[in-house]
Amino acid sequence: MKRISFLDSHTGGEPTRLIEEAAYLELDSGSVAEKLSELKTNHDTFRSQVLNEPRGSDVLVGALLVPPSDPACQFGVIFFNNVGYLGMCGHGTIGVIASLSYLGRITPGSYRIETPVGVVEATLHPSPPLPRGEGVRALYPNRVSVRNVPSYRHLKQVAVEIDGRTIHGDVAWGGNWFFLVHDHGLDVNLQNLDQLTNFAWRVREAYTRMGISGADGHEVDHVELFSETPGADSKNFVLCPGKAYDRSPCGTGTSAKLACLASDGKLAEGQTWKQQSVVGSIFEGQIQIQDGNIIPTITGEAWVMAQGELLVDERDPFGNGIRV
Ligand code: PYC
């Protein structure tokens, strides 16, 4: 029986399953990008066992802690989902840091994390003081800011034909590749999830057929639909590569959005942008310009929800995970 310890959290409704250790995978040498390649090539069953049904679900994102190769980093992390691997994950990084805080492994401060697409810096903020007379135990700090990798717009206003009409999208990098659409004409709300999912999926199929890609031919595997909202600067619906939608405002998607806003001169350094998700949760984002690069910082909160051991019985016909 294989045993895999896990800690589940959610960030604005989007779950992260943290695996602190999987020593048997022997991902000890090389950069985190090289470790991802080794995991993908030789141990992809691990991803499916941890994340797919019956132990997980399409919406879960996994975070495997690995030793960083960069001596300036305290942690290395590989993010994965129901169909593969992510470059970076904003909600996931907030979830990992809040989880490590819950476990008592870290205290408020800044931590450098090596991801497959570069180093990010996560700051765990101290908990606000408890109201006088309420409780004796300090709650674990769970508010986190993530200074992301440099983000940028690669293509502006690409025209795509859907259902006999033309919509437009920007292709932007925020640690993953996004296609960002405003003129979709749909209601971005929870009552409309099937329509949003089907539409976003068809948008992805359409621009893929057209040969639209990110830099160096990278697949643009996230679609982001925006609308106005009274509660924030913007509301989004983000369709992830495995057709699950992000319950959070998506940290890397918000970074891509901030990069587009900054490129259009619509967001100044230090100005706060409130991005709301389709379920109503909010990330706050800001940018800094460094050496001509746009560096987004995303702030949000994560909450731990479950802790335990996944058991993998060799005899189990669905033990390696299934997608239904
Ligand atoms: O928060 O960056 C994010 C993210 C990517 C996919 C799901 N969440």
Side-chain angles (χ1 to χ4, degrees), residues 14 61 86 88-92 176 222 240 246 248 250-253 283:
E14 179 76 354
V61 170
L86 292 163
M88 224 299 278
C89 183
H91 95 267
N176 295 299
H222 291 73
C240 296
D246 195 334
S248 86
C250 192
T252 50
F283 283 167

Side-chain angles (χ1 to χ4, degrees), residues 11-57:
T11 312
E14 179 76 354
T16 304
R17 175 160 285 173
L18 171 65
I19 308 295
E20 276 188 274
E21 195 176 4
Y24 63 90
L25 295 174
E26 295 181 353
L27 300 173
D28 300 323
S29 61
S31 66
V32 171
E34 287 165 337
K35 288 177 174 113
L36 183 154
S37 172
E38 163 74 9
L39 184 63
K40 189 174 174 175
T41 311
N42 295 322
H43 308 284
D44 192 52
T45 313
F46 168 83
R47 177 187 61 75
S48 179
Q49 288 170 342
V50 166
L51 228 63
N52 284 337
E53 293 187 29
R55 293 179 198 85
S57 76

